[in-house]
Every structure is written in C-alpha cells, then in structure tokens.
Amino acid sequence: MSEAAHASRKQYVGIFVALAVLTALEVGLVKLPGISKDPMVTGLVLLAITKAALVALFFMHLKWETKVMRWMVAIPLCTPVVYAFVLIADAISRRIPA
Amino acid sequence: MSASAVAAAHGHDDHAHGPVVWPEDAEFGLATPGKIAMWIFLLSDAFSFSGLLLGYGLLRGGSVQWHHPGEPELGINFTAFLTFLLICSSVSMVMALAAAQEHDRKRTCFWLFLTILGGIGFLCGQMHEYFGFLPFLGGGEHGLIGEGLVFGHSDYANTFYVTTTFHGCHVTAGVIYLSVILINTLRGKYGDNPAGPVELVGLFWHFVDLVWILVFTLIYLIP
C-alpha cells in the first residue's frame, strides 16, 4: 500500500481554485476583444500546460513520487509534444506560400 | 523482498485484506507494482490521445479552409462548464483518497459517489452537446449534429467527434471503474483500508481530467 506523503485537503482546495481561475482566464482570453491570434494561442497553450501540470503534480501526486517515477512519466509525455510542434509547423509552412 | 515475504514478515498471509507494508524501493519509493502498472497504462493511453490530437493538428494546420459554411461554432461557455464539472469531480476524487487514507469508509464512499455524479453529469452534457436532448441546459437546442456538424462531412467534424467521443469512452470507463470500487468499498471488500484501489482509480480519473484540459484548449478554444 502506497502511503507516501500527499497534499493536504487545504492544498487540494487551493489547486481546485487555481484550476477554476485558469479555466476562466482561458475563456476570457478567447473573448478578449482585439487580441491577435498568435499571442492568444501562445497564452492558451501555456495556460493548458499549467493546468495539466497542476493536475499531474498535485492530484496525481507526481510531486511526491521519486525522481525516477517523475522522469518515467515526463519523458514519454514530452516526446509527442516535440514531434507535434515539428509536424504541425511543417504542415502550416506547406500551406503558406513562400 | 517479495510481497508475500513482506506480508509474512508483518504477520499477514498472502490473502489478508489488511494493510501490507510495501518495501521502499531505491528507484520507485513506496509505489506499488499496481501503481507503476497503472502509470505505464496511462502513458500508453496518452500516446493514443497524442495520435488523435496530432492528427487533428496536422489536418487543421494543413487545411486552407477548416470551418465550412453551414457548420456551427463550438459552444465555449457550455464546454467551459463541463470542464469545471470535471475539475470538481477531480477534487472529490482526491477527497475520497484522503478519506481512504484515514481509513474512513463512509466518507470515502460519499466522495466516490460525488465523483461518479460528476462523471455522469459530464457525459449527459456531452450527449446534450451532440444531440441537444436537454434544452434546459442551453448550449444549442438541436445539438451540434442538428446544427450541421455531421461526422463524415468534413475533417473538422471528423476530428471533433473522434477525439471527444474517445474521451467520452474514457469517462464512461472511469464511471464504471469508480462504481466497482464504490460497491467493493461499501461491501467491505478492502476492509477499513481502501486506499490502494482508490488511489489507482484516482490516477485513471485524474488522467481523464488532464486529457480533457488539453482537448478543451486545442479543439474548443484555439480559433
């Protein structure tokens, strides 16, 4: 039975509030008048990564796991992200004439 | 040291339901084999979602026209509410784990039940988004299908339905998994210490929440 140290209930509620606020920020960013696409997409992706990291670290307790466990999860998860950036950037560059 | 050897050293036989002290591993700490296996499963599942999101990104990035005339915009406000519902269910899930670690069976069952309700609410919301069968929820009376977003008609519709339905299948699986753990806890199958099974189902449930955070941003929010 894994009884490793976990977050307290107060921390859980704190993470919940942070996730709710970040979600509201995302919706607000999309509805912000006059914002151009590039900063909006960058902001949305950063907000989503922050939210996903909060869930993984605190709700899935990765923060309290060993380094080996954290790397075991982080490396395979980051690989498709890098792959996606390269392939999607390539697809966009083919669409836009030079 | 094997699990049975550890259990024997602590006075339990192999079939005891009481807490088993797991030896601390130099690499994996106190993580049980079940927990490591769940993480490996979640990583393989993450690759499935990565494939879908990558396909979505490639098709969208390479398309000249993504939205075709007559196809509706996705309802951001309604889906933000569904996202909030999943976040709430993630909080009830960690509360269930906290109660389970304190050997409080009643509160564990209460929080698990709330988590299941959150999952069912999300699924009802998703069905409403597709078919519009719950008019009091808002977000479009006829649903996306009735408004012209039909599977097979465009890459936009195909990637939307495949990704969100695949996620919906995970929520359904999570609700069934949670229900099994709730029933077993109610029946006392885990004794007074259901923390192990609750932690595993929690990992799966939070993963479903984590994936939705990415799906919500990439498919619904990015213009």
PDB file of all heavy atoms in Angstrom, chain A residues 11-28:
ATOM      1  N   GLN A  11      -4.458  22.147   0.450  1.00  0.00           N
ATOM      2  CA  GLN A  11      -3.751  22.251  -0.838  1.00  0.00           C
ATOM      3  C   GLN A  11      -4.644  21.819  -1.995  1.00  0.00           C
ATOM      4  O   GLN A  11      -4.635  22.438  -3.060  1.00  0.00           O
ATOM      5  CB  GLN A  11      -2.486  21.390  -0.821  1.00  0.00           C
ATOM      6  CG  GLN A  11      -1.277  22.110  -0.232  1.00  0.00           C
ATOM      7  CD  GLN A  11      -0.073  21.211  -0.199  1.00  0.00           C
ATOM      8  OE1 GLN A  11      -0.136  20.102   0.319  1.00  0.00           O
ATOM      9  NE2 GLN A  11       1.032  21.675  -0.749  1.00  0.00           N
ATOM     10  N   TYR A  12      -5.420  20.757  -1.769  1.00  0.00           N
ATOM     11  CA  TYR A  12      -6.337  20.289  -2.816  1.00  0.00           C
ATOM     12  C   TYR A  12      -7.320  21.394  -3.189  1.00  0.00           C
ATOM     13  O   TYR A  12      -7.582  21.626  -4.373  1.00  0.00           O
ATOM     14  CB  TYR A  12      -7.116  19.061  -2.346  1.00  0.00           C
ATOM     15  CG  TYR A  12      -6.306  17.782  -2.248  1.00  0.00           C
ATOM     16  CD1 TYR A  12      -6.549  16.856  -1.238  1.00  0.00           C
ATOM     17  CD2 TYR A  12      -5.317  17.487  -3.185  1.00  0.00           C
ATOM     18  CE1 TYR A  12      -5.827  15.672  -1.152  1.00  0.00           C
ATOM     19  CE2 TYR A  12      -4.589  16.307  -3.101  1.00  0.00           C
ATOM     20  CZ  TYR A  12      -4.847  15.407  -2.079  1.00  0.00           C
ATOM     21  OH  TYR A  12      -4.124  14.242  -2.003  1.00  0.00           O
ATOM     22  N   VAL A  13      -7.873  22.056  -2.171  1.00  0.00           N
ATOM     23  CA  VAL A  13      -8.838  23.138  -2.439  1.00  0.00           C
ATOM     24  C   VAL A  13      -8.126  24.289  -3.159  1.00  0.00           C
ATOM     25  O   VAL A  13      -8.677  24.885  -4.092  1.00  0.00           O
ATOM     26  CB  VAL A  13      -9.509  23.609  -1.125  1.00  0.00           C
ATOM     27  CG1 VAL A  13     -10.390  24.826  -1.377  1.00  0.00           C
ATOM     28  CG2 VAL A  13     -10.338  22.477  -0.526  1.00  0.00           C
ATOM     29  N   GLY A  14      -6.893  24.581  -2.755  1.00  0.00           N
ATOM     30  CA  GLY A  14      -6.102  25.632  -3.406  1.00  0.00           C
ATOM     31  C   GLY A  14      -5.889  25.324  -4.885  1.00  0.00           C
ATOM     32  O   GLY A  14      -6.034  26.200  -5.750  1.00  0.00           O
ATOM     33  N   ILE A  15      -5.572  24.067  -5.202  1.00  0.00           N
ATOM     34  CA  ILE A  15      -5.366  23.663  -6.601  1.00  0.00           C
ATOM     35  C   ILE A  15      -6.684  23.762  -7.370  1.00  0.00           C
ATOM     36  O   ILE A  15      -6.717  24.201  -8.527  1.00  0.00           O
ATOM     37  CB  ILE A  15      -4.803  22.214  -6.680  1.00  0.00           C
ATOM     38  CG1 ILE A  15      -3.442  22.136  -5.979  1.00  0.00           C
ATOM     39  CG2 ILE A  15      -4.679  21.755  -8.131  1.00  0.00           C
ATOM     40  CD1 ILE A  15      -2.366  23.022  -6.541  1.00  0.00           C
ATOM     41  N   PHE A  16      -7.776  23.381  -6.719  1.00  0.00           N
ATOM     42  CA  PHE A  16      -9.101  23.480  -7.352  1.00  0.00           C
ATOM     43  C   PHE A  16      -9.398  24.932  -7.738  1.00  0.00           C
ATOM     44  O   PHE A  16      -9.821  25.209  -8.875  1.00  0.00           O
ATOM     45  CB  PHE A  16     -10.164  22.942  -6.387  1.00  0.00           C
ATOM     46  CG  PHE A  16     -11.570  23.331  -6.763  1.00  0.00           C
ATOM     47  CD1 PHE A  16     -12.154  22.835  -7.916  1.00  0.00           C
ATOM     48  CD2 PHE A  16     -12.306  24.187  -5.961  1.00  0.00           C
ATOM     49  CE1 PHE A  16     -13.444  23.193  -8.273  1.00  0.00           C
ATOM     50  CE2 PHE A  16     -13.591  24.562  -6.305  1.00  0.00           C
ATOM     51  CZ  PHE A  16     -14.165  24.055  -7.469  1.00  0.00           C
ATOM     52  N   VAL A  17      -9.144  25.857  -6.797  1.00  0.00           N
ATOM     53  CA  VAL A  17      -9.391  27.287  -7.075  1.00  0.00           C
ATOM     54  C   VAL A  17      -8.498  27.746  -8.232  1.00  0.00           C
ATOM     55  O   VAL A  17      -8.955  28.427  -9.159  1.00  0.00           O
ATOM     56  CB  VAL A  17      -9.148  28.142  -5.805  1.00  0.00           C
ATOM     57  CG1 VAL A  17      -9.216  29.629  -6.127  1.00  0.00           C
ATOM     58  CG2 VAL A  17     -10.169  27.785  -4.730  1.00  0.00           C
ATOM     59  N   ALA A  18      -7.223  27.328  -8.204  1.00  0.00           N
ATOM     60  CA  ALA A  18      -6.289  27.721  -9.278  1.00  0.00           C
ATOM     61  C   ALA A  18      -6.779  27.202 -10.630  1.00  0.00           C
ATOM     62  O   ALA A  18      -6.763  27.937 -11.630  1.00  0.00           O
ATOM     63  CB  ALA A  18      -4.894  27.178  -8.976  1.00  0.00           C
ATOM     64  N   LEU A  19      -7.253  25.948 -10.669  1.00  0.00           N
ATOM     65  CA  LEU A  19      -7.732  25.375 -11.931  1.00  0.00           C
ATOM     66  C   LEU A  19      -8.970  26.111 -12.438  1.00  0.00           C
ATOM     67  O   LEU A  19      -9.103  26.373 -13.644  1.00  0.00           O
ATOM     68  CB  LEU A  19      -8.053  23.882 -11.754  1.00  0.00           C
ATOM     69  CG  LEU A  19      -6.850  22.947 -11.566  1.00  0.00           C
ATOM     70  CD1 LEU A  19      -7.308  21.551 -11.180  1.00  0.00           C
ATOM     71  CD2 LEU A  19      -6.016  22.876 -12.838  1.00  0.00           C
ATOM     72  N   ALA A  20      -9.868  26.454 -11.499  1.00  0.00           N
ATOM     73  CA  ALA A  20     -11.088  27.178 -11.894  1.00  0.00           C
ATOM     74  C   ALA A  20     -10.731  28.560 -12.438  1.00  0.00           C
ATOM     75  O   ALA A  20     -11.261  28.990 -13.478  1.00  0.00           O
ATOM     76  CB  ALA A  20     -12.033  27.291 -10.698  1.00  0.00           C
ATOM     77  N   VAL A  21      -9.797  29.248 -11.765  1.00  0.00           N
ATOM     78  CA  VAL A  21      -9.394  30.596 -12.210  1.00  0.00           C
ATOM     79  C   VAL A  21      -8.703  30.514 -13.578  1.00  0.00           C
ATOM     80  O   VAL A  21      -8.981  31.325 -14.477  1.00  0.00           O
ATOM     81  CB  VAL A  21      -8.463  31.251 -11.160  1.00  0.00           C
ATOM     82  CG1 VAL A  21      -7.823  32.522 -11.704  1.00  0.00           C
ATOM     83  CG2 VAL A  21      -9.244  31.558  -9.882  1.00  0.00           C
ATOM     84  N   LEU A  22      -7.828  29.521 -13.750  1.00  0.00           N
ATOM     85  CA  LEU A  22      -7.124  29.377 -15.041  1.00  0.00           C
ATOM     86  C   LEU A  22      -8.102  29.064 -16.173  1.00  0.00           C
ATOM     87  O   LEU A  22      -7.937  29.551 -17.294  1.00  0.00           O
ATOM     88  CB  LEU A  22      -6.056  28.279 -14.942  1.00  0.00           C
ATOM     89  CG  LEU A  22      -4.838  28.616 -14.058  1.00  0.00           C
ATOM     90  CD1 LEU A  22      -3.933  27.400 -13.910  1.00  0.00           C
ATOM     91  CD2 LEU A  22      -4.044  29.769 -14.646  1.00  0.00           C
ATOM     92  N   THR A  23      -9.146  28.269 -15.867  1.00  0.00           N
ATOM     93  CA  THR A  23     -10.167  27.979 -16.886  1.00  0.00           C
ATOM     94  C   THR A  23     -10.907  29.257 -17.266  1.00  0.00           C
ATOM     95  O   THR A  23     -11.152  29.521 -18.455  1.00  0.00           O
ATOM     96  CB  THR A  23     -11.163  26.917 -16.367  1.00  0.00           C
ATOM     97  OG1 THR A  23     -10.438  25.755 -15.979  1.00  0.00           O
ATOM     98  CG2 THR A  23     -12.186  26.529 -17.430  1.00  0.00           C
ATOM     99  N   ALA A  24     -11.261  30.071 -16.243  1.00  0.00           N
ATOM    100  CA  ALA A  24     -11.944  31.347 -16.517  1.00  0.00           C
ATOM    101  C   ALA A  24     -11.036  32.256 -17.347  1.00  0.00           C
ATOM    102  O   ALA A  24     -11.499  32.942 -18.264  1.00  0.00           O
ATOM    103  CB  ALA A  24     -12.329  32.013 -15.202  1.00  0.00           C
ATOM    104  N   LEU A  25      -9.726  32.254 -17.040  1.00  0.00           N
ATOM    105  CA  LEU A  25      -8.771  33.070 -17.807  1.00  0.00           C
ATOM    106  C   LEU A  25      -8.730  32.633 -19.272  1.00  0.00           C
ATOM    107  O   LEU A  25      -8.652  33.459 -20.178  1.00  0.00           O
ATOM    108  CB  LEU A  25      -7.371  32.947 -17.207  1.00  0.00           C
ATOM    109  CG  LEU A  25      -7.037  33.856 -16.024  1.00  0.00           C
ATOM    110  CD1 LEU A  25      -5.621  33.559 -15.524  1.00  0.00           C
ATOM    111  CD2 LEU A  25      -7.138  35.318 -16.435  1.00  0.00           C
ATOM    112  N   GLU A  26      -8.764  31.316 -19.481  1.00  0.00           N
ATOM    113  CA  GLU A  26      -8.745  30.795 -20.860  1.00  0.00           C
ATOM    114  C   GLU A  26      -9.944  31.317 -21.643  1.00  0.00           C
ATOM    115  O   GLU A  26      -9.792  31.809 -22.770  1.00  0.00           O
ATOM    116  CB  GLU A  26      -8.790  29.258 -20.840  1.00  0.00           C
ATOM    117  CG  GLU A  26      -7.464  28.602 -20.513  1.00  0.00           C
ATOM    118  CD  GLU A  26      -7.567  27.084 -20.524  1.00  0.00           C
ATOM    119  OE1 GLU A  26      -8.590  26.543 -20.060  1.00  0.00           O
ATOM    120  OE2 GLU A  26      -6.631  26.442 -20.993  1.00  0.00           O
ATOM    121  N   VAL A  27     -11.138  31.197 -21.022  1.00  0.00           N
ATOM    122  CA  VAL A  27     -12.356  31.647 -21.706  1.00  0.00           C
ATOM    123  C   VAL A  27     -12.287  33.168 -21.931  1.00  0.00           C
ATOM    124  O   VAL A  27     -12.634  33.670 -23.002  1.00  0.00           O
ATOM    125  CB  VAL A  27     -13.611  31.247 -20.895  1.00  0.00           C
ATOM    126  CG1 VAL A  27     -14.876  31.802 -21.538  1.00  0.00           C
ATOM    127  CG2 VAL A  27     -13.710  29.725 -20.794  1.00  0.00           C
ATOM    128  N   GLY A  28     -11.786  33.896 -20.912  1.00  0.00           N
ATOM    129  CA  GLY A  28     -11.653  35.349 -21.033  1.00  0.00           C
ATOM    130  C   GLY A  28     -10.708  35.740 -22.148  1.00  0.00           C
ATOM    131  O   GLY A  28     -10.964  36.690 -22.904  1.00  0.00           O
TER     132      GLY A  28
END
